[in-house]
Structure formats: structure tokens, C-alpha cells
């Protein structure tokens, strides 16, 4: 057996699970990356994946794999960078165990992440939120479940993974009403609930008649809704809501859009950006700054406070021929 196979196995069992305590989502994402990489490398080298060595995964091959992801699999630059981060993590671990491959490993670690355009976040206005919630048919059990789930998502800003894992005991509806979650990076947080959300969830829990450990928003068989199922429900109601509110058609509405909506509602209400970062469970406040870029009202207020400079309008004219030449380029 080559050095790659035991190194890859030890990377998952020793580094990810034992040392870093990586979440199941992280392990699954890394597993997917290396399954794709090993199949790609095996086809290139005409070997079985178990026969590949560390030297077979050199910088040109990894670069070709990244190009393959974008060109053939139509992955976005963000997904490509996530795959590269997984490869970098493995090779940083391999550098400690196999110094004989140090030169090849360093060339792989030197592959940079790809820059990409960062679009403004998409969020729903108040009228679009009302249309989305009204699209839920509350005469049915499924409609009432989905209505309660959307109300909670829009007010709390939970991630879809957090929403899917909620149990009945995670919600406290008495004094200090809140929802308890363990989110990304295994960070525990408690998000306050407003009176309307408390009222909706109280009615839903009364209908559930469940034990505390049951899923808060279950399937008809009582199991947790999957992430795909939640995304499907959100897309379904967005399509229905577009009939009453055409502006929704211009937006790609997903479960993460509801998280953005919660953040923008807080920002437009005057909540400090550092508090929003705590609310959303962001590791760094810089992550939350994307909402400042999307908020035109704050930019308009900044312009209103700015005194126009006392300068005469007109175009600059260079006083020197050489400067005039440079100006004309």
C-alpha cells in the first residue's frame, strides 16, 4: 500500500475527528472532495485509487482537478475554493508525516484560492415576507407546519442545518422566550423570540402533542425534515407568493434568503452590527458587514450628512504637455 492511503485514513480519523472534533457536515464535505479528487487522479494516472501515491497528487494535477470542477462539473468559484481548502488541509497534515514529499506538498499548498465577485445579499421586503407567509395553506397540517417554520426562520435567522435539527425542547416560550441552537463551529447560542413568533409556535406545539425530543418540524412520518425538503418547501411557497407579489420573481429565494432577511430587518431597525453578528452566530463581525453593503438607507443618510465641497465645477487641465499626455491616456 502507498503512503497516500494510510495518510488519508489517518487524516479523517486522527486529525478531523479526534484532534479537531469536526462536525458531521465538515467530514461529509471533505469526504466528497477526496472522492472526486481520487477518481479524477486515478483516471489520469490509469491506476486504482488505492494505488495512488502522494507524488501522483502533484500541483499540476490538483490545478487540473480544480479546473475540471468549474469547467465540467460547473461548480462555482466559491465551491472550488472550498474543495481546495480541504486539499490544503490534507497536505498540511501530510507534510508532518512525509517530509520526503515536502517539495511536492509545498507546491500544492501554494495553489491560491480563486477570486470571485461578491454579489449583494438577496433579502425579502416586508410585503414579500407577508406574501410568502400567506402562501402557506393553514387549513392543512403541512401548511401550518411550514408557516410556523417560515415565521421562525425569518425572525431568528437560523441556518437551514440548525432549522432542520430543532427539537421541541429547543424552544422556550415562557419568560425570556428563545430558541436554542448549536450552530456552525459547534457554537451554542440562544436567539430571542418576539411575541408573534411565540404565539405561532405555541399554537404549533399544542397541535403537535409530542415528547420534548421529537422534531419541531417533522415529516408526516415523524422524522426530521431534510435540508433538501426545507429548500423545496421554500421554493414552492416563493413560487406561489410571486402570484400576489410579482417582485419575488426577480429574486432567487432560498432558506438562506430568509436568514439574510432576518439580518436586514435587524439592521434597518437600528441594531448594531456587532449584535447582529452575535444573533446570527458569526465568528467575525467582518462576515456580517455584507449587510451594510446591501443597505442603501444607511448610505443615503451618510450622503445627507456630507457637506458638498466648495469647489467650482469643471474639468482638470494639466498645465504641462507631458502631464497632459498622461492625462489623455
Amino acid at each position: 500500500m502507498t503512503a497516500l492511503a494510510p495518510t488519508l485514513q489517518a487524516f479523517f480519523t486522527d486529525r478531523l475527528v479526534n484532534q479537531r472534533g469536526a462536525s458531521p457536515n465538515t467530514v461529509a464535505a471533505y469526504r466528497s472532495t477526496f472522492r472526486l479528487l481520487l477518481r479524477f487522479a486515478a483516471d489520469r494516472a490509469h491506476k486504482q485509487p488505492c494505488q495512488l501515491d502522494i507524488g501522483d497528487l502533484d500541483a499540476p494535477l490538483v490545478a487540473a482537478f480544480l479546473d475540471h470542477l468549474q469547467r465540467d462539473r460547473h461548480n462555482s468559484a466559491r465551491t472550488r475554493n472550498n474543495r481546495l481548502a480541504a486539499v490544503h488541509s490534507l497536505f498540511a497534515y501530510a507534510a508532518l508525516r512525509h517530509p520526503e514529499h515536502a517539495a511536492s506538498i509545498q507546491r500544492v499548498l501554494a495553489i491560491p484560492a480563486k477570486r470571485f465577485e461578491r454579489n449583494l445579499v438577496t433579502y425579502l421586503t416586508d410585503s414579500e415576507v407577508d406574501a410568502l407567509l400567506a402562501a402557506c395553506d393553514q387549513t392543512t397540517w403541512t401548511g401550518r407546519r411550514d408557516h410556523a417554520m417560515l415565521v421562525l426562520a425569518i425572525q431568528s435567522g437560523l441556518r437551514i442545518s440548525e432549522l432542520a435539527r430543532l427539537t421541541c425542547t429547543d424552544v422556550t416560550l415562557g419568560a425570556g422566550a428563545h430558541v436554542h441552537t448549536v450552530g456552525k463551529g459547534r457554537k451554542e447560542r440562544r436567539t430571542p423570540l418576539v411575541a408573534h413568533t411565540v404565539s405561532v409556535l405555541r399554537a404549533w406545539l399544542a397541535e403537535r402533542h409530542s415528547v420534548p425530543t421529537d422534531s419541531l418540524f417533522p415529516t408526516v412520518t415523524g422524522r426530521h425534515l431534510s435540508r433538501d425538503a426545507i429548500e423545496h418547501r421554500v421554493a414552492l411557497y416563493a413560487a406561489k407568493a410571486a402570484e400576489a407579489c410579482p417582485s419575488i420573481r426577480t429574486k432567487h429565494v432560498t432558506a438562506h434568503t430568509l436568514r439574510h432577511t432576518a439580518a436586514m430587518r435587524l439592521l434597518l431597525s437600528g441594531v448594531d452590527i456587532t449584535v447582529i453578528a452575535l444573533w446570527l452566530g458569526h465568528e467575525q463581525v467582518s462576515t456580517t458587514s455584507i449587510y451594510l453593503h446591501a443597505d442603501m438607507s444607511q448610505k443615503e443618510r451618510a450622503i445627507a450628512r456630507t457637506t458638498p465641497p466648495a469647489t467650482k465645477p469643471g474639468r482638470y487641465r494639466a498645465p504641462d504637455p507631458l502631464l497632459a499626455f498622461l492625462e489623455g491616456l
Side-chain angles (χ1 to χ4, degrees):
M1 183 179 291
T2 64
L4 178 62
T7 300
L8 183 60
Q9 292 171 355
F11 172 72
F12 275 93
T13 58
D14 184 41
R15 174 58 62 88
L16 288 185
V17 177
N18 292 335
Q19 295 181 13
R20 291 181 54 186
S23 69
N25 287 338
T26 300
V27 173
Y30 278 41
R31 178 186 62 202
S32 175
T33 295
F34 292 116
R35 288 166 80 178
L36 292 172
L37 176 59
L38 291 177
R39 287 171 181 167
F40 179 83
D43 289 341
R44 285 291 187 95
H46 305 290
K47 297 179 180 179
Q48 293 297 320
C50 63
Q51 297 172 334
L52 293 170
D53 203 351
I54 294 176
D56 292 320
L57 304 183
D58 55 10
L61 183 133
V62 173
F65 168 68
L66 297 173
D67 290 339
H68 160 71
L69 291 178
Q70 287 198 273
R71 183 184 62 252
D72 301 326
R73 295 182 62 85
H74 307 293
N75 288 171
S76 66
R78 194 184 299 269
T79 300
R80 173 199 183 275
N81 290 344
N82 289 339
R83 303 291 192 196
L84 177 60
V87 173
H88 279 172
S89 185
L90 169 66
F91 275 73
Y93 178 73
L96 303 175
R97 297 168 60 95
H98 298 285
E100 69 275 13
H101 292 287
S104 177
I105 289 173
Q106 288 304 314
R107 284 192 287 270
V108 172
L109 292 175
I111 297 175
K114 190 169 186 176
R115 297 177 68 90
F116 55 90
E117 293 184 1
R118 298 179 181 272
N119 298 324
L120 294 177
V121 297
T122 300
Y123 65 96
L124 302 181
T125 63
D126 289 345
S127 59
E128 291 167 346
V129 167
D130 292 340
L132 185 69
L133 296 177
C136 301
D137 182 6
Q138 297 190 56
T139 62
T140 66
W141 181 89
T142 302
R144 291 189 293 274
R145 177 202 64 189
D146 294 344
H147 177 264
M149 181 173 64
L150 295 182
V151 167
L152 177 61
I154 292 169
Q155 191 254 292
S156 65
L158 297 183
R159 297 182 178 90
I160 186 173
S161 57
E162 298 166 347
L163 200 63
R165 289 196 303 263
L166 285 178
T167 63
C168 295
T169 193
D170 288 327
V171 176
T172 300
L173 301 180
H178 65 270
V179 58
H180 169 265
T181 55
V182 178
K184 191 175 182 180
R186 300 192 178 181
K187 294 188 293 291
E188 182 181 15
R189 73 182 191 277
R190 287 175 170 81
T191 307
L193 300 177
V194 300
H196 174 67
T197 305
V198 170
S199 176
V200 170
L201 290 177
R202 183 173 283 121
W204 170 244
L205 286 173
E207 181 177 354
R208 286 277 289 113
H209 297 298
S210 58
V211 298
T213 56
D214 284 351
S215 171
L216 181 61
F217 304 115
T219 64
V220 292
T221 59
R223 294 179 295 178
H224 287 269
L225 279 172
S226 67
R227 296 172 57 168
D228 288 342
I230 294 176
E231 289 287 15
H232 174 73
R233 305 305 296 176
V234 172
L236 174 66
Y237 292 123
K240 289 183 179 180
E243 299 175 3
C245 187
S247 62
I248 294 182
R249 290 195 182 96
T250 64
K251 300 178 178 180
H252 179 56
V253 181
T254 66
H256 210 67
T257 306
L258 307 184
R259 178 171 165 84
H260 291 327
T261 301
M264 290 302 299
R265 284 186 153 194
L266 291 170
L267 184 63
L268 295 173
S269 299
V271 178
D272 188 81
I273 195 71
T274 56
V275 177
I276 299 176
L278 292 173
W279 188 289
L280 297 178
H282 285 165
E283 185 75 23
Q284 299 177 344
V285 177
S286 59
T287 305
T288 319
S289 64
I290 59 173
Y291 301 109
L292 291 173
H293 294 286
D295 180 18
M296 287 297 297
S297 61
Q298 292 208 26
K299 298 174 184 177
E300 290 168 353
R301 288 195 294 270
I303 291 175
R305 296 193 194 101
T306 303
T307 303
T311 57
K312 295 181 180 180
R315 179 170 178 171
Y316 168 76
R317 295 184 181 278
D320 184 86
L322 182 57
L323 294 178
F325 164 77
L326 296 175
E327 183 69 21
L329 292 177

